[in-house]
Amino acid sequence: MGEIALGQYYPSNSILHKLDPRVKFIGTIVYIVSLFLVNTWIGYLFCAGFLIVMVILSRVPFHFILKSMKPVFFILVITMLFNLFLTPGEPVVKFWIFTISDQGISMAVRMGARLTLLVMGSSIMTLTTTPNALTDGMERLFSFLKVIHVPVHEISMMMSIALRFIPILAEETDKIKKAQIARGADFETGGLIRRLKSMVPLLVPLFVSAFRRANDLAMAMEARCYHGGDGRTQMKPLRYAGRDYAAYAILAAYLAVCIVFCWRHL
Amino acid sequence: MLIELKNVCYTYGAGTVYEVSALDGIDLQIHEGEFIGVIGQTGSGKSTLIQLFNGLMKPTTGQVFFAGKDIWADGYDLRSLRTHVGLVFQYPENQLFESDVLKDVMFGPKNQGLTPGECEERAKEALRQSGIAEEFYSVSPFELSGGQKRRAAIAGVLAMDPEVLILDEPTAGLDPAGRDELLNLIKHLRDKRGITVILVSHSMEDVAQYATRLLVVHEGKIAFDSSPKQVFSHYRELEKMGLAAPQITYIMHDLRERGLRVDVTATTVSEAKRSILMALSEHRSLSTD
């Protein structure tokens, strides 16, 4: 429960934490693009080096970044295995129906490196930015979509509310679960069907309470004259500072180097 | 002795940076038939304490005994413990889930493994005692009024026929009439069924009127443990803990200061009335002499 409640954000006061969320969002996209631009060992080393510098700057303990790898670890392994066995080329090892080619090895390692850097790189953003700052930044970045009538503000408001409610609902689940256990409910034993059935006393009150909360929140928003995005000002509007422009410059330089790598096939 | 806590400590998030000590070295004995009031500031550890009684929380260190047996010993049946020690959480109406009231109340007995007939009997008995009229048995619990929902939820715990009934602020959010009704119901249950009651409350008046023993929890420790009268005589210390004595205690102290010889340990309105009338007649006879 605690893990959900705290989210991914790691509170600190580093330069990366202080950056504007828009810079971090664009930076993450630039980093992902760069990973697909480079295709050589030197290129990957360069990207990895950049990531290491970011990790050090973020002052987030490295094991937190490693933890972000956990959910994709399985996909990573499968991707590497498929590349290892199914890439045609000069065979190196052969046994039974499996062949491992030199191309396969190089492909698997490169794919693994790319995926690892990708996940770690984007985790830097979520680790150094609060969910609210992130939705704020995204709202501003995508506000140009308003021209084609995309309800950007409404979408970002929905995201903020959803994020805000995750810890509340987790706590509520815990409470209801305890109340039902106190009435003798058993959530742990039994087969699949029995366990699914035992979830009913947990899920029904949870849904009822979620709807009640949604209702209360809507009422509270109405009472404060909330009417959507038009003409709405923010308490802390996002403003670029000097360090944000500097960060954009560094990102541009980084992307340029990656393009050179790609172009020269280094 | 029914429940015994021996040197119990509870720490939230033990071993992480977010470590918070909720209870610290609690020694406590609860006897059969007691009506215990538990008071304490928000965050003092009351809610943690009551969840230790039925094994919903495991103490970080220390032992919990029920009827002489260590409930965290290997092979102890915690589920059967929870049928002996019924716990009604705050806002228990949030736990209702069945399609009608009777079925919801039957949930507890069903989990105890009773036959459908026995379950229904138990449920009806509990509903009757909780003051829910028969016409509501087949109604969806979500259609009841706030006070009725609360009573239906409490009936859901009563139907398990517990020996100990723990209630965490059962009167929160009820109107004065609903509050009195509920507290009288609890008192009635204790008198009639002989169950032990542990009542967590923020109302000093309520605990003064109903409890036979009062526990004051402060910063994870038990600050006072004795009769309500004795506890409330320390009202200055209680105030420092963010608590207070019943209003009537303050009035009695004021009257005493102004020269009326009243009993300052009175904690309920009826006690105070008697004492004031007596003091007044004494006063009058003195002044006529």
Side-chain angles (χ1 to χ4, degrees), chain B residues 213-232:
Chain B
R213 177 179 168 196
L214 197 52
L215 296 177
V216 182
V217 186
H218 182 59
E219 288 177 352
K221 289 194 167 78
I222 292 185
F224 293 102
D225 175 4
S226 76
S227 71
K229 259 189 208 309
Q230 273 177 318
V231 171
F232 287 132

Side-chain angles (χ1 to χ4, degrees), chain B:
Chain B
M1 195 181 314
L2 212 48
I3 300 176
E4 186 176 12
L5 266 58
K6 267 190 193 162
N7 195 24
V8 164
C9 298
Y10 190 88
T11 313
Y12 282 96
T16 68
V17 273
Y18 306 103
E19 207 174 272
V20 183
S21 168
L23 291 175
D24 183 16
I26 302 274
D27 282 302
L28 187 64
Q29 294 171 351
I30 292 164
H31 305 275
E32 248 162 276
E34 282 186 309
F35 194 129
I36 300 180
V38 181
I39 57 173
Q41 229 179 343
T42 310
S44 58
K46 290 170 296 177
S47 295
T48 312
L49 181 69
I50 56 169
Q51 290 182 49
L52 290 172
F53 292 150
N54 75 342
L56 272 180
M57 283 186 161
K58 188 179 179 180
T60 314
T61 60
Q63 288 166 297
V64 182
F65 294 91
F66 179 76
K69 287 200 184 101
D70 186 346
I71 68 166
W72 291 106
D74 283 335
Y76 190 89
D77 187 1
L78 277 172
R79 277 186 74 196
S80 93
L81 167 73
R82 288 173 191 140
T83 70
H84 294 300
V85 184
L87 175 57
V88 180
F89 277 95
Q90 247 175 66
Y91 302 106
E93 55 273 26
N94 291 350
Q95 74 188 26
L96 299 170
F97 69 97
E98 270 289 5
S99 50
D100 68 52
V101 172
L102 187 66
K103 271 194 208 154
D104 201 285
V105 176
M106 278 165 66
F107 179 65
K110 224 161 66 188
N111 287 328
Q112 283 175 286
L114 301 178
T115 64
E118 284 174 316
C119 289
E120 203 174 316
E121 214 171 283
R122 286 265 195 96
K124 280 183 175 164
E125 168 84 11
L127 280 166
R128 213 170 14 249
Q129 283 181 327
S130 314
I132 303 266
E134 211 158 316
E135 61 195 274
F136 293 114
Y137 288 5
S138 53
V139 171
S140 159
F142 301 107
E143 281 168 33
L144 299 179
S145 74
Q148 285 171 326
K149 269 190 204 165
R150 179 81 48 101
R151 273 181 287 164
I154 291 173
V157 174
L158 281 178
M160 297 170 75
D161 202 15
E163 289 153 56
V164 184
L165 183 63
I166 308 169
L167 302 113
D168 191 356
E169 283 182 59
T171 55
L174 290 186
D175 55 30
R179 199 191 67 200
D180 288 347
E181 233 173 84
L182 185 60
L183 288 170
N184 282 325
L185 162 75
I186 294 164
K187 187 180 180 323
H188 177 74
L189 285 171
R190 175 183 169 245
D191 296 344
K192 205 175 150 207
R193 284 198 181 185
I195 54 179
T196 310
V197 176
I198 300 171
L199 174 75
V200 177
S201 179
H202 275 306
S203 161
M204 305 301 142
E205 276 75 18
D206 290 350
V207 288
Q209 193 176 349
Y210 293 99
T212 58
R213 177 179 168 196
L214 197 52
L215 296 177
V216 182
V217 186
H218 182 59
E219 288 177 352
K221 289 194 167 78
I222 292 185
F224 293 102
D225 175 4
S226 76
S227 71
K229 259 189 208 309
Q230 273 177 318
V231 171
F232 287 132
S233 68
H234 298 278
Y235 66 103
R236 297 273 178 232
E237 280 120 296
L238 288 180
E239 278 168 13
K240 279 184 204 136
M241 297 173 189
L243 300 167
Q247 292 291 328
I248 208 75
T249 308
Y250 290 95
I251 294 174
M252 298 306 261
H253 277 278
D254 267 8
L255 288 173
R256 181 50 114 24
E257 254 168 53
R258 295 182 189 201
L260 198 64
R261 293 174 52 80
V262 290
D263 172 19
V264 289
T265 64
T267 49
T268 63
V269 177
S270 54
E271 269 176 15
K273 180 181 157 195
R274 223 177 304 129
S275 168
I276 291 171
L277 285 176
M278 219 149 78
L280 278 176
S281 66
E282 218 174 278
H283 192 71
R284 225 172 278 135
S285 63
L286 277 175
S287 53
T288 47
D289 279 347

